[in-house]
Amino acid sequence: MYVDLSIPISRRAPGVEFEQWLHRDGIRQLSRRIRALPGDSRRDRYLNFWRWLIGARRLRERDLPGGCFLSNEFYRMSVHQGTHVDAPFHYGPECAGEPAKKVMDLPLEWFSGPGVVLDVRGCGGRVTAAGVKEALDAAGSGVGPGTVVLFRTDSDLRLGTPAYYTESTAITPEAVDHLLDLGVKVIGTDCWSFDGPARAMVESFYETRDPGALWPTHLHGREREFIQIEGLAGLRGLPRRGPFTFMAFPIALADAGAAWCRAVAHVQEPR
């Protein structure tokens, strides 16, 4: 059984620009685009454009079955929209003194492996190393190299409300370090960010002037290499105890520090 752990990206979500050509729109768009086709010479382009201007090279509804062509959609948005993978380059230009990996530098095998869900709903909004140890004991699962650890906070239940951003749970650098010490490389959360509410961080900074108050877990990725998967959903649908395989391959975006992904768990059905 496959369990979808991803947030659908809505055309109406903040920060998303969306355009859609429906099937009858497609005829008009195709008619404009066949003025110049791949492989056309400059002469062909001029000639076909002239033919299009006088109407000799245009498509009409009667030219296609049902008067329809193909649909098409265009999204303009951040690579951090929806469920996504953060590569080390997102945290800074270097990691542990070496050039930080971008999305296309990440080994694909990191994104498929045994998964473990850590229930941290009772952590008080801040997960520490002690909280990770307690959650690991409760899960009854060992973790090591190749294991993908997912933090369940049920923040995704607030998706679509301001509380999704203002009441999220912070995964502290010390919590991340504990997992890295065990050999874990990829860590996920059902919150919008590993660092908790942005307002809380900003207000803490202006009260203390401590730079460590601002996105501490992200910036910790400059010291130790790890991958964050943010914006997961439905972790409560995974077994609290028992094996499952996690998969979330980032979209192949060149020169990007993050990429959208489709996060999925394969759970063995009882016989």
Side-chain angles (χ1 to χ4, degrees):
M1 176 178 68
Y2 288 92
V3 181
D4 193 351
L5 305 176
S6 305
I7 295 174
I9 296 176
S10 169
R11 59 192 288 178
R12 298 178 178 85
V16 175
E17 297 179 21
F18 177 81
E19 180 185 357
Q20 184 177 46
W21 299 346
L22 295 177
H23 302 92
R24 293 192 181 277
D25 300 327
I27 298 173
R28 175 172 51 86
Q29 299 296 342
L30 176 62
S31 181
R32 290 174 60 86
R33 277 155 179 74
I34 60 174
R35 292 178 301 181
L37 297 172
D40 280 356
S41 66
R42 179 176 295 183
R43 180 181 181 279
D44 291 334
R45 290 175 182 270
Y46 282 127
L47 182 59
N48 289 337
F49 180 67
W50 172 252
R51 289 172 174 168
W52 181 83
L53 283 176
I54 64 174
R57 193 177 171 85
R58 295 189 187 185
L59 288 176
R60 297 169 178 80
E61 289 188 5
R62 65 174 181 266
D63 297 323
L64 289 168
C68 295
F69 188 51
L70 310 176
S71 68
N72 202 353
E73 289 78 35
F74 303 85
Y75 282 83
R76 178 180 171 82
M77 58 189 176
S78 164
V79 291
H80 299 276
Q81 187 78 34
T83 308
H84 63 276
V85 170
D86 281 352
F89 185 78
H90 174 51
Y91 317 139
E94 292 186 352
C95 177
E98 299 290 334
K101 290 184 177 69
K102 297 179 181 178
V103 167
M104 294 299 291
D105 301 322
L106 303 176
L108 291 178
E109 55 266 26
W110 287 2
F111 299 96
S112 177
V116 172
V117 175
L118 300 186
D119 190 339
V120 294
R121 288 176 292 168
C123 71
R126 188 171 181 272
V127 180
T128 63
V132 170
K133 295 175 185 177
E134 182 179 342
L136 283 170
D137 289 342
S141 301
V143 302
T147 306
V148 179
V149 174
L150 312 175
F151 286 100
R152 176 189 172 187
T153 73
D154 283 351
S155 180
D156 59 300
L157 294 175
R158 297 188 285 269
L159 191 65
T161 72
Y164 179 67
Y165 301 99
T166 61
E167 299 178 20
S168 59
T169 296
I171 314 299
T172 64
E174 65 176 85
V176 171
D177 275 341
H178 182 70
L179 293 173
L180 297 184
D181 290 342
L182 296 173
V184 175
K185 200 76 169 177
V186 178
I187 310 168
T189 178
D190 57 11
C191 294
W192 76 284
S193 171
F194 262 67
D195 278 305
R199 175 178 290 277
M201 288 188 287
V202 171
E203 295 302 332
S204 176
F205 170 75
Y206 281 114
E207 288 176 9
T208 64
R209 294 294 172 172
D210 177 11
L214 297 174
W215 282 266
T217 304
H218 279 76
L219 297 185
H220 188 56
R222 298 178 181 181
E223 307 300 324
R224 301 188 71 180
E225 186 178 68
F226 66 96
I227 308 302
Q228 296 178 168
I229 302 178
E230 296 174 317
L232 292 167
L235 298 184
R236 57 198 159 274
L238 298 177
R240 297 183 62 182
R241 291 176 177 265
F244 65 90
T245 300
F246 177 83
M247 293 162 281
F249 298 105
I251 299 298
L253 299 178
D255 298 319
W260 313 287
C261 69
R262 185 70 176 269
V264 175
H266 182 248
V267 179
Q268 193 69 38
E269 296 187 64
R271 297 184 178 181

